[in-house]
């Protein structure tokens, strides 16, 4: 149950003065939720400082100034397109106030001739004269004195006025309760951090630019609170999974030894080490929960197959789950090549399998006639019953959340011990991100590539050299190779100038098919149905089409050994990790691969840095760290659809050290106070509720 102290935090924003039913939906969209605490986490992005109060003659153009002036004359325009002007003076000089669409009655009432008024706004020089267009604030000296000398500036959306939002946020802050402190007192003292409520108020009331920086003490404190909630929740989940008894799985090695003889080249040292770590986990009576991180082409699939074969040697079943049908089919084809020679039965189950065929497959699965089942999230469905599932391998984990991880793990037989879970990702994840998403896992890394893979030759080329690029594509295809052409969007939106995939496909068909033959230019994009996508991929894989125009649906895992060139249009719009993933689609056969990054200038600093990094290095882990620095965590891996946590206050690039401390702190807390029963433990429960990580609290109760 959520503690009573936090009821105000979760009250709807419509309970706040000034936030009626008309305004509430706009505010909700802006701040990412409709509760009072969503306003707490909507922090200022700037400030207006009204403390500069010079004489008119000394006011610096380009600065916000607050001036005390006597109003001289109102000059209403005869033509509504001409601005309304008011002349005024002080002892040092004259100034003109300018209003577009000014309402005469309102202005005459607010700024009466002959009276002293304070005005605050941006000072400008026009024809050598001091002027102020649309002062932000004006009124009597008494009225202005009541205003804050420094005002926060919040990110806005259409339909919400800055002053209105600031007032609503003030009302929300007034509801913030004093909460018991969940921080270690000694650590808090060393960091010189304020109390939680004080930090929240200070973050919303910056006094200078320095207070807006990520390393200001109040912002550090709030970020740490959020990171601590995240780490504590992950450790509770991990502890729960680790507590579930595992089963001792030990094979006799016959299938794994036979596999090694079938491989085209010897295992790398990193693969051998990962195999050893996984076998060690599976032989223990604790559940395995391991992340296998490997760069594009580092041989993860063979490590996963090795683990599944160990499982089959021990007389049990294994499952491999992929995020898309294309990927599931491809895994099935790759693994079948080896399984068929090893006498291991492998089957594929996707959402498209229906009726009798599906029923027959499920019957064989339940009878134990299928050793390894490959599929999409169709594997989660209730009617999918294994005779004895002992290992679940999940590919491209960042597409699935923690709950799905637990879902597949629940398919095993309780009486035999639970299901071991091995998660694979080809997206090298920076250490900081990996802690926030996979803090509940042990990690194996594949840092070497098998000997058959040469680095991909990567070059940048300006989009005005389009014909040269088409020429390079034609030459590749004429020499028997295949090419990907990646576009960032499917349909032209009216405002957008992006090259849409459909349009690019038509242009390339016109340019190439007369020479290369009808149907040689294929198209695949995210708006297509699964069958259509599969057909397009199949045509490319079999060589019926030679050039595949695609959106980023080919980003993960697609394997066509004959593809040696990839053209990425508008490369400046892609993240580093994504460019690296895409580049990894080529050069997978014996021939060297090439990647052309086509960009449209002029390039911003970040885009230039990204393209430079991708040209200079092939190391996915280095690329991932660089990506985090350049773009921040929100965009790396596209957090929104990735099952990675989204942080409201913490910035993983700026607060990486705090994350490591929060990790250690959470470990220590649970070692000393596993039930969170001490005074600090009870305060930490409030922290978990405050940051909505309370789903993990059930794992405290369930022991």
């Amino acid at each position: 149950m959520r503690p009573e102290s936090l009821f105000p935090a979760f009250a709807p924003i419509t309970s706040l003065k000034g936030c009626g039913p008309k305004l509430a939906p706009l505010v909700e969209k802006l701040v990412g939720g409709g509760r009072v605490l969503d306003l707490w986490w909507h922090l200022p992005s700037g400030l207006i400082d009204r403390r500069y109060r010079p004489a008119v003659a000394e006011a610096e153009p380009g600065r916000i100034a607050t001036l005390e002036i006597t109003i001289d004359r109102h000059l209403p325009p005869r033509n509504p397109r001409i601005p309304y002007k008011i002349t005024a003076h002080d002892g040092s000089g004259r100034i003109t106030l300018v209003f577009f669409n000014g309402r005469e009655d309102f202005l005459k009432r607010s700024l009466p001739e002959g009276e002293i008024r304070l005005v605050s706004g941006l000072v400008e020089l026009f024809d050598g004269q001091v002027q102020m267009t649309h002062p932000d604030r004006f009124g009597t000296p008494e009225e202005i004195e009541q205003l804050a000398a420094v005002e926060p500036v919040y990110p806005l959306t259409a339909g919400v006025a800055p002053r209105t939002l600031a007032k609503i946020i003030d009302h929300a802050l007034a509801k913030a309760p004093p909460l018991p402190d969940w921080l270690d007192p000694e650590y808090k003292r060393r960091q010189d951090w304020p109390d939680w409520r004080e930090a929240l108020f200070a973050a919303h009331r910056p006094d200078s630019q320095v207070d807006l920086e990520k390393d200001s003490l109040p912002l550090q404190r709030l970020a740490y609170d959020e990171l601590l909630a995240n780490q504590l929740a992950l450790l509770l989940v991990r502890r729960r999974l680790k507590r579930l008894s595992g089963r001792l799985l030990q094979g006799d090695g016959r299938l794994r030894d036979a596999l090694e003889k079938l491989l085209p080249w010897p295992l790398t040292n990193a693969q051998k080490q990962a195999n050893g770590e996984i076998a060690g986990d599976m032989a223990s009576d604790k559940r395995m929960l391991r992340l296998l991180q490997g760069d594009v082409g580092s041989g993860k699939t063979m490590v996963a197959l090795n683990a599944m074969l160990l499982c089959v040697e021990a007389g049990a079943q294994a499952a491999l789950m992929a995020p898309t049908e294309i990927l599931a089919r491809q895994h099935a084809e790759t693994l079948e090549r080896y399984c068929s020679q090893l006498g291991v039965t492998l089957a594929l189950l996707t959402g498209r399998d229906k009726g009798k065929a599906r029923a027959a497959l499920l019957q064989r699965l339940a009878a134990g006639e299928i050793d390894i089942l490959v599929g999409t999230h169709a594997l989660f469905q209730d009617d999918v019953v294994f005779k004895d599932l002992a290992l679940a391998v999940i590919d491209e984990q960042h597409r699935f959340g923690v709950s799905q991880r637990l879902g597949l793990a629940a398919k095993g037989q309780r009486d035999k011990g639970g299901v071991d879970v091995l998660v694979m990702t080809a997206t090298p994840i920076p250490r900081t991100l990996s802690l926030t998403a996979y803090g509940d896992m042990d990690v194996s890394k594949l840092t070497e590539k098998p000997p058959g893979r040469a680095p991909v030759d990567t070059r940048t080329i300006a989009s005005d050299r389009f014909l040269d690029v088409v020429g390079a594509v034609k030459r590749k295809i004429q020499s028997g190779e295949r090419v990907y052409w990646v576009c960032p969007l499917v349909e032209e939106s009216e405002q957008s100038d992006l090259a849409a995939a459909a349009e690019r496909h038509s242009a390339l068909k016109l340019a190439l098919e007369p020479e290369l033959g009808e149907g040689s230019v294929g198209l695949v994009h995210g708006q297509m149905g699964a069958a259509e996508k599969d057909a397009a991929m199949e045509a490319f894989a079999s060589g019926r089409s030679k050039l595949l125009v695609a959106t980023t649906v080919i980003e993960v895992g697609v394997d066509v050994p004959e593809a040696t060139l990839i053209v990425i249009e508008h490369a400046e719009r892609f993240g580093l990790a994504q460019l690296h993933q895409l580049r990894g689609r080529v050069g997978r056969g014996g021939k060297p691969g090439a990647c052309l990054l086509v960009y449209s200038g002029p390039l911003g600093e970040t885009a230039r840095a990204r393209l430079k990094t991708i040209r200079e290095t092939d190391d996915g882990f280095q690329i991932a760290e660089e990506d985090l620095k350049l773009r921040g965590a929100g965009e790396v891996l596209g957090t929104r659809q990735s099952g990675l946590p989204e942080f409201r206050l913490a910035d993983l690039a700026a607060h990486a050290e705090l994350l490591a401390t929060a990790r250690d702190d959470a470990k220590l807390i649970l070692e000393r106070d596993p039930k969170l029963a001490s005074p600090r433990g009870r305060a930490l429960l409030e922290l978990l509720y405050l940051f909505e990580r309370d789903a993990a609290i059930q794992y405290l109760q369930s022991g």
Side-chain angles (χ1 to χ4, degrees):
M1 281 291 291
R2 184 183 293 146
E4 209 170 314
S5 56
L6 290 176
F7 287 179
F10 289 88
I13 54 176
T14 45
S15 64
L16 297 170
K17 192 176 162 198
C19 192
K22 209 166 167 188
L23 193 58
L26 296 173
V27 173
E28 193 172 321
K29 197 170 165 202
L30 171 66
V31 303
R35 299 141 326 162
V36 168
L37 60 68
D38 294 306
L39 288 159
W40 295 350
W41 309 149
H42 190 72
L43 297 181
S45 52
L47 53 83
I48 295 171
D49 189 342
R50 302 193 187 282
R51 290 175 294 196
Y52 175 55
R53 294 192 164 198
V56 167
E58 285 152 17
E60 290 174 34
R63 269 189 85 172
I64 299 270
T66 303
L67 307 173
E68 187 170 324
I69 52 177
T70 302
I71 305 298
D72 294 329
R73 284 187 64 200
H74 280 249
L75 305 166
R78 291 211 175 94
N79 179 339
R81 276 182 289 196
I82 294 171
Y84 189 113
K85 294 187 177 177
I86 300 173
T87 59
H89 72 279
D90 72 355
S92 72
R94 309 192 68 75
I95 183 169
T96 305
L97 308 179
V98 179
F99 296 87
F100 290 90
N101 305 319
R103 281 190 7 245
E104 187 172 352
D105 55 342
F106 168 72
L107 291 173
K108 283 194 164 163
R109 240 188 0 263
S110 311
L111 297 163
E113 291 178 359
E115 299 220 5
I116 291 176
R117 288 291 181 268
L118 280 182
V119 295
S120 188
L122 187 69
V123 177
E124 299 165 312
L125 267 188
F126 186 70
D127 279 350
Q129 302 290 311
V130 180
Q131 76 170 30
M132 192 181 280
T133 304
H134 282 287
D136 306 321
R137 301 276 190 269
F138 46 84
T140 63
E142 297 74 39
E143 286 167 343
I144 295 289
E145 290 309 335
Q146 286 172 9
L147 291 173
V150 180
E151 290 172 25
V153 174
Y154 290 100
L156 285 172
T157 187
V160 183
R163 233 178 286 183
T164 309
L165 181 67
K167 276 186 185 155
I168 293 170
I169 289 177
D170 271 344
H171 293 315
L173 289 171
K175 302 243 182 217
L179 296 172
D181 211 323
W182 42 74
L183 294 188
D184 172 63
E186 182 49 33
Y187 179 61
K188 181 183 164 195
R189 192 184 59 71
R190 278 205 314 274
Q191 297 298 106
D192 197 20
W193 285 344
D195 287 340
W196 173 77
R197 191 167 182 268
E198 198 187 319
L200 184 66
F201 274 78
H204 281 278
R205 292 175 184 160
D207 194 51
S208 69
Q209 213 51 43
V210 174
D211 298 332
L212 296 167
E213 301 295 333
K214 297 271 197 275
D215 59 1
S216 74
L217 296 178
L219 290 181
Q220 275 190 24
R221 156 85 213 226
L222 293 173
Y224 186 77
D225 290 339
E226 186 173 26
L227 293 168
L228 182 58
N230 163 265
Q231 290 301 299
L232 199 53
L234 271 174
L235 287 182
L236 285 169
V237 172
R238 178 191 176 90
R239 189 174 71 175
R240 159 87 173 143
L241 280 164
K242 285 286 184 186
R243 274 224 188 118
L244 298 171
S245 58
R247 62 192 282 185
L248 289 86
L249 285 170
Q250 283 175 313
D252 54 13
R254 64 195 161 81
L255 294 173
R256 287 169 291 161
D257 293 346
L259 171 69
E260 217 170 318
K261 295 192 179 94
L262 294 175
L263 294 175
W265 41 68
L267 294 173
T268 63
N269 289 329
Q271 281 175 311
K272 285 179 189 162
Q273 188 178 335
N275 284 342
E277 289 166 349
I278 291 165
D281 284 358
M282 290 170 79
S284 95
D285 60 355
K286 294 272 183 281
R287 282 277 178 102
M288 169 165 81
L289 191 56
R290 185 169 285 279
L291 174 67
L292 177 61
Q293 244 189 305
D295 208 342
V296 179
S298 57
K300 289 180 302 301
T301 313
M302 286 307 114
V303 172
L305 178 55
N306 196 74
M308 292 192 281
L309 292 176
L310 185 159
C311 197
V312 176
E313 288 170 3
Q317 291 167 300
L320 187 156
M321 183 174 76
T324 64
E325 212 160 302
I326 291 177
L327 211 46
R329 283 182 189 288
Q330 198 171 290
H331 274 312
E333 279 165 30
T334 307
L335 299 175
E336 180 57 34
R337 268 178 240 154
Y338 297 103
C339 289
S340 58
Q341 297 179 71
L342 296 168
V344 170
T345 312
L346 177 137
L348 172 71
L349 176 68
T350 70
R352 272 166 60 194
D353 295 309
K354 301 271 189 294
K356 283 183 184 164
R358 186 173 194 273
L361 187 149
L362 293 182
Q363 207 173 345
R364 290 172 59 219
L365 184 70
E369 292 164 23
I370 293 171
D371 299 314
I372 296 174
L373 182 65
V374 178
T376 54
H377 47 36
L379 299 187
F380 282 131
Q381 289 164 356
D382 291 342
D383 62 347
V384 178
V385 178
F386 292 81
K387 182 180 184 200
D388 184 13
L389 179 66
L391 170 68
V393 179
I394 302 179
D395 189 22
E396 281 312 318
Q397 158 62 31
H398 66 270
R399 310 278 175 106
F400 302 107
V402 176
S403 58
Q404 285 170 302
R405 222 141 71 192
L406 295 169
L408 194 53
K411 291 258 180 207
Q413 290 193 4
R414 295 262 163 83
D415 56 339
K416 293 196 174 178
V419 175
D420 285 333
V421 178
L422 176 67
V423 160
M424 304 195 289
T425 177
T427 313
I429 302 164
R431 188 177 164 274
T432 40
L433 264 187
S434 149
L435 270 184
T436 64
Y438 305 114
D440 56 337
M441 297 189 169
D442 300 305
V443 180
S444 292
K445 271 187 179 183
L446 298 182
T447 48
E448 309 162 72
K449 299 204 174 161
R453 297 288 298 263
V456 175
D457 179 15
T458 306
R459 305 187 180 198
T460 47
I461 185 165
S463 57
D464 54 12
R465 291 180 54 199
F466 181 74
L467 293 175
D468 296 346
V469 178
V470 175
V473 167
K474 194 187 287 181
R475 286 193 295 281
K476 279 281 181 199
I477 292 172
Q478 285 168 334
S479 67
E481 295 167 36
R482 275 171 241 162
V483 180
Y484 291 110
W485 187 299
V486 179
C487 304
L489 253 196
V490 180
E491 283 162 0
E492 283 284 13
S493 66
E494 285 163 2
Q495 306 82 5
S496 149
D497 59 346
L498 288 183
E503 207 171 289
R504 179 57 72 227
H505 176 241
S506 308
L508 290 167
K509 266 172 91 76
L510 277 174
L512 297 170
E513 286 198 348
E515 272 185 68
L516 302 174
E518 178 121 5
S520 53
V521 180
L523 171 67
V524 62
H525 60 68
Q527 312 284 308
M528 287 178 164
E532 233 184 326
K533 257 186 225 170
D534 280 359
M537 290 303 304
E538 216 298 296
F540 184 64
S542 67
R544 289 198 306 284
S545 69
K546 312 284 192 288
L547 168 65
L548 185 63
V549 179
T551 55
T552 53
V553 292
I554 62 153
E555 179 185 341
V556 175
V558 174
D559 196 1
V560 177
E562 296 77 10
T564 57
L565 171 64
I566 185 164
V567 177
I568 303 173
E569 247 190 291
H570 282 294
E572 76 281 2
R573 296 177 192 260
F574 290 93
L576 263 177
Q578 213 178 12
L579 288 172
H580 181 61
Q581 284 290 318
L582 288 166
R583 172 170 69 179
R585 298 303 106 221
V586 296
R588 299 171 80 90
K591 293 184 177 171
C595 171
L596 286 182
L597 303 170
V598 182
Y599 65 89
S600 300
L603 289 178
E605 213 170 302
T606 305
R608 188 174 289 115
R610 268 210 298 266
L611 295 181
K612 179 174 185 283
T613 302
I614 205 85
R615 264 202 329 269
E616 290 174 359
T617 178
D618 195 31
D619 177 343
F621 291 98
Q622 190 185 329
I623 283 169
E625 293 294 347
E626 200 54 38
D627 206 14
L628 184 62
K629 274 194 218 126
L630 290 173
R631 295 195 303 160
E635 289 186 62
V636 175
L637 300 183
T639 325
R640 292 190 180 284
Q641 63 279 346
S642 69
L644 282 179
E646 274 194 72
F647 292 105
R648 309 281 295 264
L649 303 168
D651 173 326
L652 293 181
H655 298 134
E657 280 177 32
L658 293 181
L659 175 64
T661 308
R663 171 90 178 143
D664 296 340
D665 196 2
K667 270 187 182 160
L668 199 59
I669 287 161
L670 289 179
E671 275 166 26
R672 290 180 178 168
D673 182 12
K675 292 233 183 265
L676 297 184
S678 66
R680 185 185 177 199
R682 289 197 297 276
L684 284 159
L685 286 175
E686 295 205 31
L687 172 72
L688 288 171
Y689 279 108
L690 178 66
F691 284 104
E692 299 174 82
R693 298 291 198 277
D694 42 284
I697 293 172
Q698 63 179 332
Y699 299 129
L700 269 178
Q701 277 85 10
S702 56

